[in-house]
Amino acid sequence: MNAEPTNISPEAVVQRFNAAFNRHDVDALAEWLTDDTAFEDTSPAPDGRRIQGKAEVVAFWRAWFERNQDARFEAEDTIVAADRVVVLWIYRKVRDGKPWHIRGVDVFTVRDGKVAAKLAYVKG
């Protein structure tokens, strides 16, 4: 996959990023990130944990996929406003041998056809 698009819509960028994410394809996912991309996770801290830079974000996702091999995000709704894309989602996996889920929101910023920021928030 070649992620050179400059004429691609922010929504399409996020859809392709999320498709790579759900395949756990870190290399394809990396193609959709800016070099200075930022990711804020859902760690239970006042502000979550911020990971800055493509190499650091890719390393985070590579390790995360190793620990969460059955993880899958399902988009419930998508809201687009200029370079911002908000995705309401359900995260599903098996926990303690039983199906489990949590709902949340990602706020993406897209710049030049790539993800410049992904800020994650969860319920509960």
Side-chain angles (χ1 to χ4, degrees), residues 1 5 8 11-21 23 32:
M1 173 188 299
I8 188 168
E11 182 176 14
V13 169
V14 170
Q15 287 171 343
R16 291 175 186 180
F17 173 91
N18 284 338
F21 188 97
R23 292 191 312 270
W32 293 103

Side-chain angles (χ1 to χ4, degrees), residues 14 17-18 33 36-43 47-52 57 61 73 83-89 104-110 115-122:
V14 170
F17 173 91
N18 284 338
L33 300 175
D36 64 343
T37 193
F39 168 62
E40 290 183 1
D41 73 4
T42 59
S43 295
D47 296 314
R49 176 178 39 178
R50 184 175 181 92
I51 302 161
Q52 187 78 44
V57 171
W61 286 119
F73 283 86
D83 66 347
R84 292 286 179 116
V85 179
V86 178
V87 179
L88 287 72
W89 47 256
V105 173
D106 282 341
V107 180
F108 289 87
T109 301
V110 176
V115 174
K118 179 183 184 292
L119 313 178
Y121 303 88
V122 297

Side-chain angles (χ1 to χ4, degrees), residues 70-74 89-94 99-102:
D70 64 339
R72 177 154 180 83
F73 283 86
E74 298 172 14
W89 47 256
I90 300 174
Y91 167 55
R92 296 186 189 277
K93 66 178 282 166
V94 173
W100 178 88
H101 77 276
I102 193 166

